Amino acid sequence: MIRTLLLLLLTLLIAVIASLHLGVHVYGPATVWQALFGGAESSSEIIVRTLRLPRTLNAVLTGAALSLSGLFMQAVTRNPLAEPGLLGVNAGAAFAVAFGLVLLGAVSIAGIGLLAIGGALAAAALVFGLSGALGPAAGPTGILLVGVTVTAMLASLTQLVLLIDETALETLLFWLSGGFADRPLPLLSIGVGALAIAFTGAAALSTSIDALQLDDQSASGIGVDVARTRLSALTLAALLSAGAVAMSGPVAFLGLIAPHITRRLMAARPGFLALSLLAMLTGAIIAVLADILARLIVAPGEAPIGAVLAFVGVPFLIHLLRAKRLRGVGV
Amino acid sequence: MKTGPLPIAALLVILAGGLVVATGLGSSFIGPSRVAAALLGNGSRTDEIIVWTLRLPRVALATLAGMALGLSGAILQRALRNPMAAPSILGVTDGAALGVVTFLWFFSDDANVLTVSIHWQPLAAVAGAFAFAFLVGLLTVADRARNDPVRLILYGIALAALAKACVTLMMIVGPVYRASQALQWITGSVNAAHWMDVGVVAAGLALSVPVLILMRLPLRQIVLDRQTAITTGLQVNRHRIGLLVLSVMLTALAISQVGAISFVGLIAPHAARLFHGQFRSGYLLGSALIGGILVLAADTFARTIASPLELPAGAVTALIGAPLFLLLILRRQVRNG
């Protein structure tokens, strides 16, 4: 556990350093050092300080938030396919923000955060409520069908809203395509807040969630309030994904793959709290690496992060669909 | 279940009325009687120009594409014995989009000019649609749980996401002008319709009619479970593949002309089933007519609701189709459980 933690921290550090150096222009270590600590004002140092550094921080926070969100969802639903992007939660937050910006004219950072949280919670309630109505017979894939459909519906609603205001379309289309670059820095505070609350929640819920890994009956048998645990965990998951959407727009697949990779890093199965810490690190690493890739593969253009993640995420999703034991996350 | 020719006649009347109203709506309103006069060739000269060269190609294209999508969905659901199968969910639509973008990218020169005729574009869409339908089919067949009707849809969803990612990347890499061209196609709109496009979809529909008449027996037998169907002398695999090819072709043809319009192929057959026995021969015709009415209504709504701005018709159909799909999943589950 400690060794994995240290390894992940080291990897993240290397990824962050690489992210500061690599891009359309590759900067030497001296330039990056000067930009961060020297206060020099040449154009390349300004680029590193005002463009590369913020987007790297954004990637770290968004990756951690989405990964933890996916972990929460997968753990309490015992569904390996649960993920904020595929379950419509991202789309709900995105729709709420678009709706608020266009129709209510809310533009403050706090406003965007609140809208994203409201939308994410509403969409999560809708998707989990509907799939709850499906009953356990629907299996892990029923919820995915519901989520993808709700996503389609919300996306077309977003399109409708955007049609009303063409100027909003210009700014929002960019934001809605998802990515870590050129985001307003103060938005990061929403992500930090969401992560802090959710990680505290993970600490508080960890024993209950660990008990949930068995099955509902055994869990309630040892005194766990199953419904309340599940509800709190899903609320935290929605909060995290709302924070991520507020920072970077809807980013799919990250919340799906990061928790799975985390679980596979360890031979023994750690408790939920340890797992969530590792998952946050793994998510951050994946996000930073994907962001570097997004800068490089179509340089001098820039690929949307969603496309980069789809190339990794889709084969992974297919692999999960083909896996022998789709039920149960304890792979 | 009601049967007989009455529902079909009613659908035809609705469609005809819809065509006249939709043709009349637009930047200048033309009353139904004037539209009818222009259609019959004895309206005023301005009316006739507006109706015949501006409005009618678009209205006809929307209707025919909708008919192709509805028919394609009905055939697909029948062939797979899966009420949730729909061309747009199976990755076919995004596959076609990838085909179009690849075509635009591959055949543009440095000056952003297409080096071959734009009329090859539908062919590229068809090729892309077939490629992805083939991949989805391959994944499903290779799956242990291939008899679960949901598997096919899940693989479709996964591959659609992959195709979408490829499309986005190619649009970024490709020349700007072509990107906007492709985007216009992808968002699914029927503007800039020509009689030529109408002819392409109409030809596809017309060609599928004799095929469907020839396959009318297999179409009924294939509803049975595999063993029973084989006992009745049906070569299940051969006919299933044949029907799938026909279905993908119809979808690809429709969306190559009107763009990614989703959920129509899913809803139309279900609506047809509501008031027309699915074992009657009119079921396919009913699905086609309902599909036509749906897309015509969606396109008319999309272009008039926020005029002069235009909404992609695909967004409208998704807005109606998604809740219905959810209802379908819920009802299926209730029946199973």
Side-chain angles (χ1 to χ4, degrees):
Chain A
M1 158 76 203
I2 298 294
R3 221 187 60 176
T4 318
L5 188 69
L6 287 176
L7 261 174
L8 282 178
L9 271 174
L10 188 68
T11 317
L12 181 60
L13 190 69
I14 295 171
V16 166
I17 292 172
S19 171
L20 292 175
H21 286 80
L22 299 174
V24 179
H25 295 284
V26 178
Y27 298 116
T31 318
V32 173
W33 186 264
Q34 276 295 318
L36 294 184
F37 306 105
E41 292 297 328
S42 80
S43 62
S44 40
E45 278 136 353
I46 291 175
I47 287 176
V48 170
R49 192 161 56 233
T50 60
L51 297 178
R52 295 257 170 100
L53 185 64
R55 79 183 287 175
T56 306
L57 287 177
N58 193 346
V60 170
L61 288 173
T62 307
L66 285 174
S67 172
L68 188 54
S69 176
L71 184 72
F72 265 121
M73 286 187 184
Q74 290 171 12
V76 296
T77 60
R78 284 189 224 104
N79 184 340
L81 300 176
E83 195 250 348
L86 292 177
L87 294 192
V89 182
N90 280 355
F95 168 65
V97 172
F99 184 83
L101 285 182
V102 171
L103 294 185
L104 311 174
V107 279
S108 70
I109 300 297
I112 291 180
L114 282 177
L115 282 167
I117 291 168
L121 284 176
L126 181 67
V127 171
F128 286 105
L130 279 174
S131 62
L134 289 180
T141 49
I143 195 171
L144 187 62
L145 275 184
V146 175
V148 172
T149 314
V150 169
T151 304
M153 194 168 68
L154 288 168
S156 62
L157 273 173
T158 309
Q159 257 181 331
L160 263 172
V161 168
L162 288 183
L163 188 81
I164 298 169
D165 191 341
E166 265 188 298
T167 42
L169 183 94
E170 293 287 308
T171 42
L172 277 179
L173 260 191
F174 161 76
W175 174 76
L176 283 172
S177 64
F180 308 128
D182 305 328
R183 305 292 181 178
L185 262 187
L187 279 177
L188 296 191
S189 56
I190 297 177
V192 174
L195 271 172
I197 296 172
F199 191 67
T200 318
L205 291 172
S206 72
T207 37
S208 312
I209 292 179
D210 281 333
L212 264 185
Q213 297 315 302
L214 307 164
D215 60 82
D216 288 4
Q217 250 113 48
S218 330
S220 57
I222 51 175
V224 173
D225 188 337
V226 173
R228 209 179 65 192
T229 307
R230 192 161 280 151
L231 190 66
S232 332
L234 291 180
T235 311
L236 289 176
L239 177 73
L240 281 166
S241 120
V245 170
M247 284 187 289
S248 321
V251 173
F253 289 113
L254 218 162
L256 177 76
I257 47 182
H260 284 284
I261 293 175
T262 313
R263 274 185 222 102
R264 267 159 222 208
L265 286 177
M266 316 262 303
R269 196 182 160 75
F272 184 76
L273 186 61
L275 205 56
S276 40
L277 192 61
L278 297 178
M280 280 160 66
L281 286 172
T282 315
I285 293 168
I286 295 174
V288 174
L289 291 181
D291 188 42
I292 296 175
L293 213 59
R295 273 174 253 167
L296 295 180
I297 44 175
V298 291
E302 190 154 326
I305 205 75
V308 176
L309 285 167
F311 282 114
V312 191
V314 169
F316 201 84
L317 178 63
I318 290 175
H319 168 72
L320 285 177
L321 287 171
R322 293 176 58 84
K324 211 178 241 156
R325 274 166 41 80
L326 197 54
R327 209 161 252 290
V329 185
V331 185
Chain B
M1 248 183 250
K2 273 174 274 168
T3 51
L6 206 64
I8 297 292
L11 285 176
L12 276 171
V13 170
I14 295 174
L15 186 58
L19 275 171
V20 171
V21 173
T23 311
L25 291 174
S27 51
S28 67
F29 177 75
I30 307 178
S33 56
R34 276 166 62 203
V35 173
L39 284 176
L40 297 172
N42 46 16
S44 75
R45 187 156 164 71
T46 352
D47 279 4
E48 281 193 19
I49 289 176
I50 293 179
V51 167
W52 279 99
T53 58
L54 296 176
R55 302 259 174 90
L56 205 55
R58 173 174 188 154
V59 169
L61 186 58
T63 309
L64 286 175
M67 289 176 80
L69 289 173
L71 184 59
S72 162
I75 297 171
L76 193 68
Q77 291 179 8
R78 179 64 64 87
L80 297 174
R81 303 178 63 224
N82 183 346
M84 293 201 296
S88 55
I89 301 177
L90 295 188
V92 173
T93 313
D94 288 296
L98 184 57
V100 167
V101 179
T102 315
F103 167 79
L104 290 173
W105 182 67
F106 207 72
F107 291 106
S108 308
D109 57 21
D110 294 336
N112 250 337
V113 180
L114 215 54
T115 52
V116 295
S117 163
I118 189 81
H119 296 301
W120 290 104
Q121 184 174 310
L123 199 68
V126 173
F130 270 106
F132 269 77
F134 181 72
L135 273 177
V136 171
L138 212 63
L139 274 170
T140 312
V141 170
D143 195 304
R144 258 178 260 89
R146 59 174 163 270
N147 292 322
D148 178 3
V150 175
R151 309 304 291 181
L152 187 77
I153 299 175
L154 293 174
Y155 287 124
I157 290 170
L159 282 186
L162 196 63
K164 228 174 255 167
C166 291
V167 167
T168 318
L169 274 189
M170 291 184 89
M171 278 173 55
I172 290 169
V173 181
V176 181
Y177 167 70
R178 288 294 158 204
S180 64
Q181 178 107 352
L183 191 68
Q184 198 181 15
W185 181 87
I186 286 163
T187 47
S189 108
V190 201
N191 61 22
H194 293 289
W195 282 112
M196 173 95 180
D197 313 329
V198 179
V200 171
V201 183
L205 272 170
L207 278 176
S208 67
V209 172
V211 177
L212 286 172
I213 292 176
L214 277 176
M215 291 187 81
R216 65 192 183 283
L217 260 174
L219 262 170
R220 290 186 188 191
Q221 288 166 308
I222 211 158
V223 189
L224 304 165
D225 68 283
R226 195 183 172 79
Q227 275 314 315
T228 322
I230 290 173
T231 327
T232 60
L234 182 72
Q235 286 171 299
V236 175
N237 283 344
R238 229 179 70 190
H239 283 102
R240 180 165 287 168
I241 291 173
L243 288 172
L244 284 177
V245 168
L246 181 63
S247 166
V248 174
M249 192 201 78
L250 279 171
T251 302
L253 212 55
I255 60 180
S256 71
Q257 296 300 338
V258 301
I261 289 181
S262 49
F263 286 106
V264 173
L266 178 85
I267 316 167
H270 283 280
R273 231 175 318 227
L274 278 182
F275 57 86
H276 201 289
Q278 65 158 322
F279 301 105
R280 294 278 168 163
S281 47
Y283 163 65
L284 291 179
L285 182 58
S287 304
L289 288 176
I290 292 173
I293 294 170
L294 274 176
V295 176
L296 177 64
D299 180 53
T300 308
F301 179 78
R303 71 186 160 93
T304 50
I305 181 71
S307 169
L309 289 173
E310 214 173 285
L311 196 67
V316 180
T317 53
L319 210 56
I320 312 164
L324 284 172
F325 184 54
L326 286 175
L327 203 68
L328 218 63
I329 302 174
L330 283 169
R331 276 194 26 204
R332 186 181 90 100
Q333 220 54 50
V334 170
R335 222 180 306 137
N336 285 1

